[in-house]
Amino acid sequence: GAVVSQHPSWVICKSGTSVKIECRSLDFQATTMFWYRQFPKQSLMLMATSNEGSKATYEQGVEKDKFLINHASLTLSTLTVTSAHPEDSSFYICSATLAGSTDTQYFGPGTRLTVL
Amino acid sequence: AQSVTQLDSQVPVFEEAPVELRCNYSSSVSVYLFWYVQYPNQGLQLLLKYLSGSTLVKGINGFEAEFNKSQTSFHLRKPSVHISDTAEYFCAVISDTGRRALTFGSGTRLQVQP
């Protein structure tokens, strides 16, 4: 149980285009989802916290107009990287917490974004 | 604010040897503690967690960790490692009040050699 999927698993795009990444909780309802970014050989850095039906809370230094997050249902959150540039190339990982639980996060497999 | 320190960026060890991966944390409030493992190009998998109760926590794949409040540590141990344990290991905390987001350490690369 508690499986989180991400789609796509990898994507290559041209500079200036937008890319949407989906995060789904497959067998549970997730009231809160988190989006992290991980650069090569580094730890995960929290980008934003997303609660179903409300606006996402972004971490300091993360541009909310560039990284659009939508959490329209209890099983789906999306991250859209708008006008992507090469410096946005990274590994993006989402996680979700079970409705009614606030400690354990279940992580998706990640999405490798490469911007040319 | 809270922080997590993993002093060892890499830990090489021979197969079937014991291993300890160190984690220290800093927080002004009580925390919950976690260890996650990440295999190449994959997301994170929960190894174990400490919420309350017994300070010795057993997890999957034969790993265990001990919470030491006085030393603010949560070291991960395994008595005998396998080649398949080669991966990146992350220690993380959540404060028991306020935001529920994880704060991660910088990670420790466990390299098991034959």
Side-chain angles (χ1 to χ4, degrees), chain A residues 48-108:
Chain A
T49 302
S50 170
N51 291 298
E52 185 265 338
S54 62
K55 291 184 179 180
T57 302
Y58 290 82
E59 295 299 298
Q60 191 172 7
V62 178
E63 300 174 60
K64 63 179 181 180
D65 293 331
K66 181 171 185 60
F67 298 99
L68 301 178
I69 292 173
N70 183 279
H71 193 164
S73 78
L74 285 172
T75 59
L76 173 65
S77 176
T78 60
L79 168 67
T80 301
V81 183
T82 62
S83 187
H85 291 285
E87 58 265 30
D88 298 323
S89 298
S90 188
F91 195 49
Y92 292 87
I93 304 175
C94 72
S95 71
T97 56
L98 289 160
S101 171
T102 53
D103 52 65
T104 303
Q105 292 182 27
Y106 298 93
F107 285 81

Side-chain angles (χ1 to χ4, degrees), chain B residues 7-19:
Chain B
L7 290 172
D8 306 306
S9 60
Q10 291 189 66
V11 174
V13 63
F14 288 107
E15 192 173 19
E16 297 183 4
V19 71

Side-chain angles (χ1 to χ4, degrees), chain B residues 36-51:
Chain B
Y36 284 89
V37 60
Q38 184 181 34
Y39 298 101
N41 296 310
Q42 295 185 28
L44 276 67
Q45 181 180 3
L46 179 67
L47 275 177
L48 48 79
K49 61 183 178 181
Y50 172 78
L51 304 181

Side-chain angles (χ1 to χ4, degrees), chain A residues 34 36 38 41-46 49 59 91 93 95 102-110 112, chain B residues 32 34 36 38 41-46 49 51 88 90 94 99-107:
Chain A
F34 302 88
Y36 296 85
Q38 184 181 32
K41 299 187 185 301
Q42 295 188 28
S43 188
L44 281 73
M45 300 300 295
L46 180 67
T49 302
E59 295 299 298
F91 195 49
I93 304 175
S95 71
T102 53
D103 52 65
T104 303
Q105 292 182 27
Y106 298 93
F107 285 81
R112 174 75 60 191
Chain B
Y32 301 140
F34 303 80
Y36 284 89
Q38 184 181 34
N41 296 310
Q42 295 185 28
L44 276 67
Q45 181 180 3
L46 179 67
K49 61 183 178 181
L51 304 181
E88 192 82 21
F90 292 97
I94 289 178
R99 296 191 319 145
R100 310 309 297 183
L102 284 162
T103 299
F104 283 91
S106 55

